[in-house]
Amino acid sequence: MQHLSQITVTCFVGSYIVALLLEITRGMFRLPGRMAGVIGFTAAGLYTHVAYLTMSARQQMDGAQMGLLASWYDWTLLLALGVAICYAILLLRRPDSTLGYFLLPLVLSLIGLAGVLRNSAPFSRDEATGFWLNMHAGSMLLVTVAVLLGFVAGVVYLVHSYRLKHKRLSSAGMRLPSLEWLQTVNRVCLLTSTCLMAVGLFAGIAMHLNRSGEIVWTNRGIALSCVLFAWLVIATLFEALYKPARRGRKIAYLTLASFGFLVLAMAGLFTSNHGASGEPPAGKTEATAEATLPGVSPEKGGAV
């Protein structure tokens, strides 16, 4: 912790700048180990970026009134982190592309904007709880939609594959999309649901920490949500790293299995008290604990 407390914004800004410079020099001259350097400095930037936000959140936990990760400064840094993670994923999947020309300047611009907003007043714990609650609920809703779409695409793929194999193209008068298109839909749904699940889990953690200062990992809903996220990460990595999984029935089976884990997670949510309103923080009234968005008054329903 003493080591992490010494990390500043300069650490990850410097890492991103070096990665950008290495990206820019791709078309200028050959440099042995350039790609390893880009990956290494990007990884260093992500590590220090996450560590800085983690230590910032630990310091905010000491304030009874100030919300956890509840200022425009924090949210802009989180947005920059999200873009940086997307760049890292694309870098590993398509190392020959030069997307860093566009994404890394965006990351640095967002960090610069965060610096401008650094002195902005943070929101209260109640307002922060409402914000993270809305983000958690919205993300989990979109995860459900993505998994369901992937499930349908997987079923259609298997049906179409069976019809082609047995030469029953005219049976039942069905016209189905091509197998290539269905594979693409399955892949997009799998990646999208994984990213949204990560956002939803992070928002849920921030929500619980703002609401009660702790997370009950043994809660059935939370535990099964973590299981679903773990499966989505494994399935996404398998599809990304194992080339045969990118074609044929394997990607369809992955999305079908994701649907099974979704049903398991939803069953855990419906049979537990997950999502029930907790006790408002000490010193807060029941009315203020009902705030749902930063800057909104629970008594009047209008802007503060």
Side-chain angles (χ1 to χ4, degrees):
M1 288 301 173
Q2 183 178 1
H3 164 70
L4 295 179
S5 63
Q6 298 175 355
I7 293 177
T8 63
V9 176
T10 306
C11 297
F12 52 89
V13 168
S15 298
Y16 294 143
I17 289 177
V18 174
L20 176 60
L21 292 176
L22 290 174
E23 283 271 31
I24 292 175
T25 58
R26 279 195 189 193
M28 298 179 180
F29 55 86
R30 297 187 61 182
L31 179 64
R34 176 187 281 110
M35 182 53 59
V38 173
I39 295 174
F41 278 102
T42 301
L46 291 175
Y47 170 75
T48 51
H49 201 152
V50 172
Y52 177 82
L53 287 171
T54 301
M55 295 306 299
S56 177
R58 285 178 60 89
Q59 294 174 0
Q60 293 169 2
M61 286 290 291
D62 297 332
Q65 303 297 326
M66 185 174 63
L68 176 66
L69 295 177
S71 67
W72 292 112
Y73 173 72
D74 295 326
W75 293 339
T76 309
L77 284 182
L78 284 171
L79 182 59
L81 177 62
V83 177
I85 291 175
C86 291
Y87 165 68
I89 294 174
L90 293 172
L91 178 64
L92 294 176
R93 289 183 63 93
R94 298 180 178 275
D96 295 333
S97 64
T98 55
L99 293 174
Y101 284 19
F102 308 96
L103 292 178
L104 287 175
L106 178 59
V107 172
L108 293 172
S109 298
L110 288 171
I111 296 174
L113 177 61
V116 174
L117 300 172
R118 184 160 195 164
N119 295 325
S120 60
F123 298 104
S124 68
R125 285 283 176 94
D126 296 320
E127 292 171 322
T129 299
F131 172 82
W132 290 115
L133 172 61
N134 290 334
M135 179 173 288
H136 173 67
S139 298
M140 300 307 288
L141 175 63
L142 294 176
V143 167
T144 304
V145 172
V147 173
L148 290 176
L149 290 177
F151 170 74
V152 172
V155 171
V156 174
Y157 181 95
L158 296 177
V159 170
H160 194 19
S161 177
Y162 176 84
R163 294 175 66 205
L164 288 173
K165 183 177 180 180
H166 294 82
K167 299 180 180 180
R168 297 182 180 179
L169 299 181
S170 60
S171 62
M174 290 191 300
R175 283 190 172 184
L176 301 177
S178 67
L179 295 180
E180 292 76 12
W181 186 84
L182 292 170
Q183 286 179 5
T184 301
V185 171
N186 273 285
R187 189 177 302 115
V188 170
C189 288
L190 183 60
L191 179 61
T192 302
S193 58
T194 303
C195 295
L196 289 172
M197 191 70 191
V199 174
L201 278 181
F202 177 81
I205 291 173
M207 176 194 69
H208 280 287
L209 291 177
N210 276 290
R211 174 187 287 173
S212 60
E214 63 179 359
I215 302 173
V216 184
W217 295 105
T218 55
N219 179 280
R220 191 183 302 112
I222 296 176
L224 291 177
S225 295
C226 292
V227 171
L228 173 61
F229 176 63
W231 162 254
L232 289 173
V233 171
I234 293 172
T236 302
L237 291 176
F238 180 73
E239 187 274 334
L241 302 177
Y242 185 57
K243 292 184 178 180
R246 301 179 187 177
R247 57 184 181 273
R249 299 185 177 187
K250 296 181 179 63
I251 184 65
Y253 291 142
L254 289 177
T255 52
L256 294 182
S258 298
F259 175 75
F261 279 98
L262 173 66
V263 172
L264 182 64
M266 296 300 291
L269 293 176
F270 294 145
T271 57
S272 69
N273 62 348
H274 183 74
S277 299
E279 292 287 337
K284 302 294 182 182
T285 65
E286 183 177 351
T288 57
E290 295 175 356
T292 56
L293 284 175
V296 175
S297 170
E299 293 85 359
K300 301 180 180 180
V304 175

